[in-house]
Amino acid sequence: FRNRIMFPIFDVRNQCLGFGARALTDGVAKYINSPETPVYTKGQHLYGFHLAKEAVGRRDGVVVVEGYMDFILPFPAGVDNLVASLGTALTVEQVRLLRRYTRNVTMLFDADQAGESAMARSLDVLIEEGMNVKVASLKEGEDPDSFVRKWGAQAFQEKIRQARSFFDFKLEHLMSLQDCKTIEGRAR
């Protein structure tokens, strides 16, 4: 964890279970995490949930972002029903944790190929677990922390309010993977 920014990861009872760390220099792995142990399994926790769980229940909805920084800037700016998936697609365990507080989820992952792919994988798990899902999006190259720094929390909350249905997002995503100008592409 040397020469890295440290992010403590807490469970819902405010107990620190592990750490994530982002490199300050190039040439090394960008992110590393505490090893998985009987106490800490990355796919069972959500970053910031210990801070957001009351607002998630009160608002009957949660906004899921991708990484630590995507949580750290919007949350203190007033988006208090926000959690981060710890940089991966959501797991069944993470979705079941959310479901104890709400069935309404708005996904907002980074507007890049990795973010869209992780979101597409997460959507399937959310639907299988009976969640009501919407998808908010930012312009290519933007992520929640850079968006809030540039445009502010109110503009970010407006993006969340403009979230599209799961079906519309999924159809658009699948169509982007095919050549829809051909009959075969449209059929696929």
Side-chain angles (χ1 to χ4, degrees):
F1 290 127
R2 292 179 191 269
N3 296 318
R4 293 178 181 271
I5 299 171
M6 300 296 295
F7 300 96
I9 300 168
F10 293 85
D11 67 8
V12 293
R13 296 179 311 263
N14 296 333
Q15 296 176 332
C16 185
L17 304 176
F19 295 91
R22 187 183 195 286
L24 294 172
T25 58
D26 293 331
V28 295
K30 188 174 180 180
Y31 285 98
I32 60 172
N33 299 294
S34 292
E36 294 204 358
T37 67
V39 173
Y40 173 66
T41 302
K42 183 178 175 182
Q44 294 179 350
H45 304 282
L46 293 157
Y47 188 76
F49 194 57
H50 67 294
L51 299 172
K53 67 183 177 185
E54 288 179 28
V56 168
R58 185 177 66 250
R59 292 176 184 246
D60 191 22
V62 64
V63 179
V64 180
V65 294
E66 202 170 344
Y68 309 111
M69 295 304 292
D70 298 328
F71 171 86
I72 288 174
L73 260 85
F75 186 84
V79 187
D80 58 356
N81 62 330
L82 184 74
V83 299
S85 69
L86 297 169
T88 60
L90 289 175
T91 66
V92 171
E93 292 85 1
Q94 288 170 321
V95 173
R96 289 179 181 166
L97 175 62
L98 289 173
R99 195 174 60 201
R100 292 183 357 209
Y101 295 83
T102 186
R103 288 190 175 270
N104 302 307
V105 177
T106 301
M107 299 292 294
L108 188 110
F109 277 25
D110 294 356
D112 58 19
Q113 186 62 39
E116 283 197 10
S117 295
M119 187 164 10
R121 289 190 312 274
S122 297
L123 292 172
D124 294 334
V125 174
L126 287 161
I127 296 301
E128 288 170 11
E129 290 297 317
M131 304 296 273
N132 304 314
V133 185
K134 291 185 177 181
V135 178
S137 39
L138 303 173
K139 291 180 185 170
E140 177 117 19
E142 289 183 331
D143 54 32
D145 73 299
S146 66
F147 186 91
V148 170
R149 277 187 274 137
K150 186 173 183 179
W151 303 105
Q154 284 185 322
F156 185 71
Q157 288 174 329
E158 184 57 32
K159 288 287 187 184
I160 294 166
R161 280 190 288 279
Q162 295 170 354
R164 298 174 289 160
S165 73
F166 156 76
F167 182 78
D168 289 342
F169 171 81
K170 187 79 169 189
L171 185 59
E172 188 176 304
H173 175 71
L174 292 172
M175 287 175 63
S176 74
L177 300 175
Q178 303 297 325
D179 179 9
C180 291
K181 293 178 182 171
T182 67
I183 293 171
E184 294 83 13
R186 285 193 299 270
R188 270 189 240 118

